[in-house]
Every structure is written in structure tokens, then in C-alpha cells.
């Protein structure tokens, strides 16, 4: 009787996780579209990132205060999430695009899901479903088409190293989001997001020195696809939707889907960013990008539709999936509301896409900027 109840509950948890992951991907993907008009108005990309992360941290201060005991229970987890999933992705991505083409940097950063699968399989020594592995490979192939990587092939060892650093920080987003709900002292995913953004904001404040910036453009208007609108509108969207909502829903989604599957679904952020730039910024898509977007969608579907594998690689007959599949109902986070990059992560999963990328498309998506 108990097993039947658990079995019937699991699909709903996986459906919730997929829904939250999709919301997170769409929210993260809109960061570049919101950030680009602010940058064109005169704000530097780094200061836009600072505004994004700090604004989100301030918005989540009530949550941080409510869960202030998390600082004593899992300080290392919160610091790691802030350094890797928030500040790390941002810093590494911007350093990468200063040396290599934006499209190449973006593609390398989104090698995060395959790296995550390798981390889970070879470091954590947990089984990975075949669907998750195939989905990651298909999604990365699609991303290469989305960013038209062949238009900017060049090699700069340090630039590539920075881009790989952003990919590794993206792995940290998913691993730490999953670790927060495990162990003897689990932390509410809401607290992970709130304190992670707060710590990331502190680090970025030191790096960007926002007191030296000219913030006057925020009091005027910006132009989006030929239309003028108050600057606070895209700024508020970038903070509240592309960061707060994105990180909260992303962290919770990891708990329901597992890091590998959530990581593959997160690749949709690049597609969302490109499509929104097409609709809102007038940056048209070519046939390779449309085909690449379909491949990313196919990869995400293959990953989330796969069955979890047990330690021997076969489906878990006991009905309690491991980290590569849907989580055990008993191990799911106690918070069912939004909590997510992710990032974020992603922003730091990462990022506010700020500048123009290859072929005139935005350079940033999701957790990086």
C-alpha cells in the first residue's frame, strides 16, 4: 500500500520539477533582452550584473532573515553557492568574452550539463540514465547551432580557460542546489537562493565598485526594438523575473528532477534568450539557429523523459530513484514554492546577457549575466 502511494506521487513531483525548471529557463533566458537596453543606454555590463544580483539579494532579504539559522547549519554550502553559482559564473564569463568570441564562450559555458553528468558519474559515483547523457549531447550540438559557433572560431588559451571556469561554476550551481536538501542538516532551497545571492552581491560589490558608476541612465528612457520605455521597466524585469524568480524556481527544480536532468533542461535558456531577442529586439534568427533550437528541445525532452537508473544501471525496482532520476518522495525539499539561476546558476548559473553576440545576437543568457 505504501509503495503504491509513493509510486503514484513520484510522477507529480517530477512534473512539478519539470515545470519549475522550464519557468527557471524562461526567466533566466530573458535576462539578456532586459539588460541590453540598459547597456546601450550607458551602463557597463559589469554594473548591470551588479544591479541584477544586488537588487535580487535585497528583494530576498526577508527570506534570508526568516531562514537565518541556515547560516549556522550549513555556512559552507551557502558561501559556495554564492561564490560559484552567482559571482563565479559572472566573473568567469565576462573574463572569457574579453578574449574569445561571445558565441564560443557561451557554447563552452553550456558544456556545464555534460560536465555535471561526468561529475555525478565519476566523482559522486552515482549512475546516470542513458537518456540524460544522450539528451546532454544532443542539447550541446543544438547550442552550437544556436550561437553559430563556426562564425567565431578562434583559440585563446586563457579565454577558453575562463569559459571552462564558467562551465564549472554552472556545475556548482546544480550540485550545491541538490546538496542543500541532503544530509543531517538540510537547508530550505529558498534560503540557498537568498543567501547565495546575498554573498554573490557582496563579492561583486568588491569587484565592480558600483559607487564609481554613473547610474543616471536608470532615471531616463531606454530603447527596445525602436520603442522608448522607462529604464526601470527592464531593470525591474531583470531583477525580479530574470534573477529572483529564476534562481528560486531553479533550485527547487533540482530537488525534483536531479542535477543532471535539470542541467540539460537549463540549456533551453540559450534558446529562450535568442527567441526573445528576435521578438523584442528585432534580432532575426537564421535557419541554423532554428534547427539548433529544435535540437536543444529534443535533448531536454530526452533527458527529462528518461527513467532513473540504479547502481547497476537498471531501473530501480524499489521505486526510489537516485540522483540521476526523480528524487525519492521522502527526500524532496520541504518547500514546494519557487526556489531554484537557478541560477543561476547561473546564474551566477549565471548571467545577464548584455552585449551583442555573434551575428548580432545577445551575448549573454541566463546565469552568466
Amino acid at each position: 500500500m505504501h509503495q503504491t502511494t509513493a509510486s503514484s506521487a513520484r510522477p507529480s513531483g517530477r512534473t512539478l520539477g519539470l515545470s519549475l525548471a522550464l519557468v527557471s529557463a524562461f526567466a533566466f533566458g530573458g535576462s539578456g533582452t532586459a539588460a541590453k537596453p540598459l547597456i546601450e543606454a550607458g551602463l557597463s555590463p559589469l554594473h548591470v550584473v551588479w544591479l541584477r544580483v544586488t537588487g535580487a539579494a535585497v528583494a530576498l532579504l526577508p527570506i534570508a532573515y526568516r531562514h537565518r539559522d541556515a547560516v549556522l547549519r550549513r555556512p559552507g554550502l551557502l558561501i559556495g553557492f554564492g561564490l560559484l553559482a552567482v559571482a563565479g559564473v559572472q566573473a568567469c564569463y565576462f573574463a572569457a568574452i574579453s578574449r574569445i568570441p561571445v558565441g564560443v564562450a557561451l557554447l563552452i559555458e553550456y558544456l556545464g550539463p555534460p560536465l555535471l553528468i561526468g561529475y555525478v558519474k565519476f566523482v559522486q559515483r552515482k549512475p546516470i540514465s542513458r537518456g540524460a547523457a544522450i539528451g546532454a549531447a544532443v542539447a550541446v550540438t543544438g547550442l552550437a547551432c544556436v550561437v553559430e559557433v563556426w562564425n567565431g572560431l578562434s583559440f585563446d588559451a586563457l579565454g577558453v580557460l575562463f569559459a571552462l571556469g564558467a562551465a564549472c561554476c554552472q556545475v556548482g550551481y546544480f550540485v550545491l542546489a541538490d546538496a542543500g536538501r541532503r544530509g543531517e542538516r538540510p537547508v530550505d532551497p529558498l534560503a540557498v537562493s537568498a543567501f547565495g545571492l546575498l554573498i554573490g552581491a557582496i563579492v561583486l560589490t568588491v569587484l565592480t565598485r558600483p559607487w564609481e558608476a554613473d547610474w543616471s541612465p536608470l532615471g531616463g528612457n531606454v530603447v527596445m526594438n525602436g520603442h522608448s520605455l522607462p529604464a526601470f521597466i527592464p531593470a525591474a524585469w531583470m531583477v525580479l523575473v530574470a534573477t529572483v524568480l529564476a534562481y528560486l524556481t531553479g533550485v527547487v527544480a533540482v530537488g525534483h528532477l536531479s542535477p543532471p536532468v535539470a542541467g540539460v533542461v537549463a540549456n533551453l535558456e540559450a534558446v529562450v534568450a535568442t527567441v526573445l531577442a528576435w521578438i523584442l529586439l528585432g534580432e532575426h534568427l537564421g535557419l541554423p539557429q532554428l534547427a539548433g533550437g529544435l535540437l536543444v528541445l529534443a535533448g531536454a525532452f530526452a533527458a527529462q523523459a528518461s527513467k532513473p537508473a540504479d547502481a547497476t544501471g537498471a531501473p530501480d525496482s524499489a521505486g526510489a530513484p537516485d540522483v540521476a532520476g526523480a528524487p525519492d518522495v521522502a527526500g524532496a525539499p520541504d518547500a514546494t514554492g519557487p526556489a531554484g539561476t537557478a541560477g543561476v546558476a547561473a546564474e551566477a548559473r549565471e548571467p545577464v546577457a548584455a552585449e551583442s553576440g555573434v551575428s548580432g545576437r545577445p551575448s549573454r543568457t541566463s546565469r552568466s549575466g
Side-chain angles (χ1 to χ4, degrees):
M1 181 69 179
H2 174 73
Q3 185 171 352
T4 301
T5 303
S7 177
S8 61
R10 191 175 306 113
S12 62
R14 190 175 179 87
T15 300
L16 174 62
L18 178 60
S19 300
L20 292 174
L22 290 174
V23 170
S24 180
F26 274 82
F28 270 128
S31 62
T33 304
K36 186 173 181 179
L38 299 175
I39 292 170
E40 292 178 341
L43 292 178
S44 73
L46 281 177
H47 286 128
V48 170
V49 171
W50 177 87
L51 175 65
R52 174 191 181 186
V53 173
T54 303
V58 171
L60 293 179
L61 278 178
I63 293 178
Y65 179 78
R66 179 181 179 183
H67 297 281
R68 57 191 180 277
D69 61 315
V71 176
L72 299 177
R73 287 160 52 200
R74 303 286 291 278
L77 171 73
L78 301 180
I79 293 174
F81 192 86
L83 292 178
L84 294 177
V86 180
V89 175
Q90 314 286 344
C92 288
Y93 183 82
F94 275 114
I97 63 175
S98 70
R99 305 185 66 93
I100 61 177
V102 168
V104 177
L106 190 61
L107 178 63
I108 294 175
E109 179 191 338
Y110 275 90
L111 292 177
L115 291 177
L116 176 61
I117 287 177
Y119 176 85
V120 171
K121 183 174 181 61
F122 298 109
V123 178
Q124 293 185 335
R125 298 186 180 280
K126 294 179 179 179
I128 296 295
S129 67
R130 180 178 300 177
I134 294 175
V138 172
V140 169
T141 302
L143 283 170
C145 297
V146 170
V147 303
E148 293 186 344
V149 65
W150 51 84
N151 285 335
L153 289 176
S154 65
F155 182 77
D156 180 289
L158 190 57
V160 171
L161 186 62
F162 280 130
L164 286 173
C168 292
C169 288
Q170 192 183 69
V171 172
Y173 169 88
F174 293 105
V175 171
L176 292 173
D178 181 65
R181 68 187 183 91
R182 300 180 180 277
E184 297 180 355
R185 295 175 295 174
V187 177
D188 192 301
L190 296 173
V192 174
S193 295
F195 280 105
L197 286 165
L198 183 60
I199 293 169
I202 294 173
V203 174
L204 288 172
T205 297
V206 175
L207 293 176
T208 63
R209 298 189 295 275
W211 52 85
E212 298 179 357
D214 177 15
W215 297 103
S216 59
L218 290 178
N221 291 341
V222 296
V223 177
M224 179 176 287
N225 198 17
H227 300 284
S228 178
L229 71 161
F232 74 85
I233 294 179
W237 180 276
M238 180 180 65
V239 170
L240 299 178
V241 176
T243 309
V244 172
L245 178 64
Y247 269 94
L248 291 179
T249 52
V251 171
V252 168
V254 173
H256 288 284
L257 289 178
S258 84
V261 175
V264 175
V265 176
N267 280 333
L268 290 173
E269 296 164 16
V271 179
V272 172
T274 306
V275 172
L276 288 179
W278 183 13
I279 297 172
L280 298 179
L281 300 179
E283 297 174 345
H284 299 292
L285 300 179
L287 182 60
Q289 290 184 302
L290 294 174
L294 292 176
L295 284 176
V296 174
L297 291 173
F301 176 79
Q304 67 84 27
S306 61
K307 294 182 179 180
D310 63 12
T312 63
D316 184 355
S317 59
D322 62 12
V323 70
D328 189 335
V329 174
D334 54 3
T336 57
T341 119
V344 211
E347 268 178 220
R349 277 205 290 130
E350 210 203 56
V352 156
E355 305 169 350
S356 260
V358 287
S359 303
R361 277 166 291 279
S363 70
R364 301 180 69 65
T365 65
S366 83
R367 295 168 238 283
S368 345

